[in-house]
Amino acid sequence: QVQLVESGGGLVQAGGSLRLSCLASGSIFSRNAVGWYRQAPGKQRELVASITSGGGTNYADSVKGRFTISRDNAKRAVYLQMNSLKPEDTAVYYCALFVATISTPTYWGQGTQVTVSS
């Protein structure tokens, strides 16, 4: 069983920055891809960024150039550095671990709220 715990969310003004962290339990973390998802009120959950076990990254077009995903396998941690935040980035952000397939996460964190004020 794997547990994912996010932290780092909060309230920030537009143009500001936040760094989200996700700490994982379980030894399988380092062997699998990890993603950050977000869900805004009334909208579907969307994949924001993902990183493979080898460090390859992928980003949604809406965050390219502003967000950076990284991981530290020794610490079983994945991070999301968010810069130049916009009000439309307001959402609950979830950390997710891909195990069975690369398209559907197997494990989810509980989420952390990010609110960007204009």
Side-chain angles (χ1 to χ4, degrees), residues 59-113:
Y59 297 93
D61 287 343
S62 59
V63 306
K64 281 181 181 177
R66 300 189 298 122
F67 290 11
T68 303
I69 189 171
S70 61
R71 67 189 297 165
D72 185 335
N73 288 334
K75 295 182 178 179
R76 296 177 184 170
V78 63
Y79 308 101
L80 187 67
Q81 178 67 44
M82 305 186 295
N83 299 327
S84 302
L85 283 162
K86 305 175 181 180
E88 51 264 43
D89 294 318
T90 295
V92 178
Y93 284 71
Y94 299 89
C95 175
L97 182 68
F98 299 88
V99 177
T101 75
I102 194 63
S103 59
T104 305
T106 302
Y107 298 101
W108 293 88
Q110 82 288 351
T112 186
Q113 176 71 47

Side-chain angles (χ1 to χ4, degrees), residues 7-98:
S7 61
L11 174 63
V12 64
Q13 288 188 331
S17 298
L18 282 175
R19 188 191 192 213
L20 304 183
S21 299
C22 174
L23 297 182
S25 65
S27 60
I28 67 171
F29 173 82
S30 62
R31 303 194 297 271
N32 294 280
V34 186
W36 283 100
Y37 286 75
R38 67 185 180 187
Q39 187 167 21
K43 294 188 177 181
Q44 288 189 334
R45 190 173 296 188
E46 63 172 344
L47 179 62
V48 174
S50 62
I51 186 166
T52 66
S53 57
T57 59
N58 191 45
Y59 297 93
D61 287 343
S62 59
V63 306
K64 281 181 181 177
R66 300 189 298 122
F67 290 11
T68 303
I69 189 171
S70 61
R71 67 189 297 165
D72 185 335
N73 288 334
K75 295 182 178 179
R76 296 177 184 170
V78 63
Y79 308 101
L80 187 67
Q81 178 67 44
M82 305 186 295
N83 299 327
S84 302
L85 283 162
K86 305 175 181 180
E88 51 264 43
D89 294 318
T90 295
V92 178
Y93 284 71
Y94 299 89
C95 175
L97 182 68
F98 299 88

